[in-house]
């Protein structure tokens, strides 16, 4: 998506260890107009697929996910990263965080993820696919189904995209980063 690619080139920063910082328009300060444009593009790419619910992981996935869900006119549920003491019917999965280099538990109440529900997973980044694998685990535990996965930014030099596509999942990414070598951002055309 052209507008996103231009914004990454203009405002994205490359950090040591292959991390792309986009905190001025996605991850800390957010640009709602760009976020809505991105949501429209993602909704369009999954047009024609029956979707009951959008699913994401807090915190950075929530903004794009809620906009996509609004456009698709379906609810959105986010996996939490801390297990609340009041949660009933907890489904849990362990996820390794690429940016924080440690594992954490994601959880959801089975009240909000039902058997047979067709879910679209939306997140800000796809790197090694650990968050996506955790969501596949949670939906599997609930007997729900992932019918597609949409990301704002995919890091094409990490293994998540090929891992998910090899499982036959429809994966859509609005910008694919080819490389962050030498702290230079290269985006696929
Ligand atoms: P994965 O689970 O696919 O390995 O990594 C995806 C998650 O890690 C995303 O939800 C995102 O929060 C975070 N992440 C991975 N790589 C980057 C990156 O280069 N920049 C930022 N800002 N977040 C990243």
């Amino acid at each position: 998506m052209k507008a996103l690619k231009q914004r990454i080139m203009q405002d994205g920063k490359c950090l040591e260890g292959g991390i792309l910082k986009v905190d001025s328009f996605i991850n800390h300060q957010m640009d709602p107009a760009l976020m809505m444009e991105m949501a429209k593009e993602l909704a369009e790419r999954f047009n024609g697929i029956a979707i009951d619910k959008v699913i994401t992981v807090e915190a950075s996935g929530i903004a794009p996910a809620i906009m996509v869900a609004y456009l698709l006119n379906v609810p959105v549920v986010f996996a939490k990263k801390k297990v609340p003491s009041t949660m009933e019917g907890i489904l849990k999965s362990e996820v390794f965080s690429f940016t924080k280099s440690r594992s954490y538990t994601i959880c959801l109440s089975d009240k909000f993820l039902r058997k047979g529900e067709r879910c679209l997973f939306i997140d800000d980044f796809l790197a090694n696919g650990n968050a996506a694998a955790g969501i596949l685990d949670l939906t599997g535990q609930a007997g729900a189904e992932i019918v597609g996965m949409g990301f704002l930014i995919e890091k094409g030099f990490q293994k998540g995209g090929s891992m998910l596509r090899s499982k036959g999942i429809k994966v859509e990414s609005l910008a694919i980063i080819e490389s962050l070598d030498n702290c230079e951002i290269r985006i696929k055309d």
Side-chain angles (χ1 to χ4, degrees), residues 122-163:
I122 297 288
D123 206 359
D124 60 339
F125 273 87
L126 172 60
N128 286 322
N130 293 312
I135 289 294
L136 280 170
D137 182 19
L138 291 183
T139 45
Q141 289 176 40
E145 192 187 340
I146 289 290
V147 295
M149 295 194 167
F151 302 92
L152 306 181
I153 302 173
E154 174 175 341
K155 290 154 79 190
F157 56 91
Q158 289 183 254
K159 65 180 194 316
S162 51
M163 183 270 285

Side-chain angles (χ1 to χ4, degrees), residues 91-104:
L91 305 171
K92 287 185 202 168
S93 190
E94 283 297 298
V95 168
F96 182 79
S97 165
F98 173 75
T99 43
K100 299 195 175 82
S101 294
R102 61 172 171 80
S103 289
Y104 59 96

